[in-house]
Amino acid sequence: MRSVFERTVLVLLFGFAFCLTIQLAVAEARLRSSPELTPHAALRLNPRLSSAWIQLGLDAEAEGNLAEAEIELLRAARVDRQYVPAWTLANFYFRRGDAANFWPWARKAAARTFDDYRPLLRLADVLESSPREVATRLGGDPPLLRAYIDVLIGAGRLDAAQEIASLLAARHDSSDQARLADLADRVSRAH
Amino acid sequence: MKISKVLIVIVALLFTDTVGNAATPAIGRVVSGDAFRLNGDTVISNGTLLDGALIETARTASSVQLSSGTRLSLSPASRAKVYGDRMILEKGETRIDYAVEFHLEALGLTVRAGAGSSSGRIGMEGTTRLRVSVLTGNFRVWNARGVLVANVAPGSAVAFEPQPTAAAAATKITGTLTEQRGHFMLTDRVTRVTVEVTGQRLAAYVGQVVGVTGALDVAAKSVANASQVIAANQVQPVDNGATGAVVGGVSAIESRAQPEDVPSGPPPDRPKGPPPGRPKGPPETPPGLSR
């Protein structure tokens, strides 16, 4: 049984979180519905609006202010630990040819991906010639490995797909058997 | 000894920097206020373009910025392949805001914006027509064989429709016939292409507005400042201004610039609205053809 004090604190915390969420949603909605509303104005409404920081960063990059762009994009990643800021930073560093900074953000993006790993895998695969290394650097989770196999099959790189398949097979997940059998079939037909 | 150590450190630092920032294969980036497709994958907010990237927009336009400085946007429901120096438009419409050594290809036609500040919209109308409307500067259009078929001027729009291969040389133009050192010249009113006309009794029409029907003489080279030579098989005076022409087997129909062709607001790299925050001048032969 919680004391009155504990319940009051919980109610206050819930209220605060609720207000913060509403504020974020309102700022986002206003920015989306008003193209003339600048990211700066949106950030005055809510400094935690990652999409506005991302827009500022991309604008700065377009103007050639790379240092400023990096700062704004890192701010976006600081206020929003979800997929889009990490994905944007991975792309930013990829375009700069900055592999050292690309991989940590690519790994974070992979860990936060909610849907499609393939765009990230395609970028990583350009930077690193070893598929096994790509998979390892991006965390090597089974969903990522499955997506990578699909990407490599799509590119006709069956040997590379087999290499990733061996990593997936080591997980001994029965749900992967059909995929692995399909790959083996493709490889035997190719040879 | 100390100096040599310092030199070694400097060289090592330079080497480290070189290794850490390898040359990037990226040709540019694409930004959208919504999800879009990049090489068949769903991408949110923004992405990096590699040579030959396929962009497909859905409900929102995507803005593209290339490393060369070229800026353009791809309208909603459009599809295009993007390379470092060109775009192949497969569906929908694009707006070129700033072009640097860049051209567009669609329906076998090549469209090149004039240097720098030339801007305009290029869009597919159905599956057989390409509409080019120019906001600033000028755009030139070539057919699949590298024949100049139009110079589109600012404030005007022309729809192009390539004819069947059998009619690739067909030409039907209208303009004032002039004579320059024994050569008969005509600048078509719709396409603004200047051609040299050859044929019988042309001198009788000098100074008149005439309609010329004929065929492109591929073998002949104009000695004057014309882009091509037309062997006329029919010449007749006309009264009213033409709104259509056929040059190099491509029909061209003049159309009024539409309201959306008028420049509006700040261009380019900023699409309307922010990216979502939550994961829920040119040579006569187009470069693309001469390579």
Side-chain angles (χ1 to χ4, degrees), chain A residues 48 57 64 93 99 102 118-119 151 164 172 178 191:
Chain A
R48 299 185 63 81
Y93 290 122
F102 168 81
R118 291 175 301 177
V151 166
I164 301 306
H172 302 295
H191 285 114

Side-chain angles (χ1 to χ4, degrees), chain A residues 24 51 59 61 87 91 122, chain B residues 29 41 46 48 270 275 278:
Chain A
L24 196 68
S51 56
D59 287 351
E61 186 193 17
W87 158 254
N91 275 267
R122 290 190 208 280
Chain B
R29 66 176 206 191
D41 306 329
N46 63 90
T48 298
R270 183 177 294 177
R278 295 287 184 276

Side-chain angles (χ1 to χ4, degrees), chain A residues 83-179:
Chain A
Y83 173 74
V84 172
W87 158 254
T88 304
L89 270 160
N91 275 267
F92 173 77
Y93 290 122
F94 179 92
R95 290 192 290 271
R96 305 273 72 76
D98 184 348
N101 280 307
F102 168 81
W103 288 109
W105 286 106
R107 188 182 179 110
K108 283 176 189 172
R112 298 165 188 176
T113 299
F114 59 100
D115 184 17
D116 198 344
Y117 288 92
R118 291 175 301 177
L120 193 59
L121 284 163
R122 290 190 208 280
L123 286 187
D125 196 59
V126 169
L127 278 189
E128 172 57 58
S129 57
S130 161
R132 186 180 288 266
E133 186 68 18
V134 168
T136 306
R137 285 181 177 227
L138 294 182
D141 290 338
L144 181 128
L145 298 178
R146 292 180 195 119
Y148 200 12
I149 290 172
D150 293 344
V151 166
L152 294 168
I153 289 174
R157 294 165 57 192
L158 296 182
D159 289 347
Q162 271 189 306
E163 206 177 319
I164 301 306
S166 68
L167 297 177
L168 193 60
R171 305 265 180 167
H172 302 295
D173 186 335
S174 59
S175 66
D176 289 323
Q177 281 177 358
R179 185 185 302 269

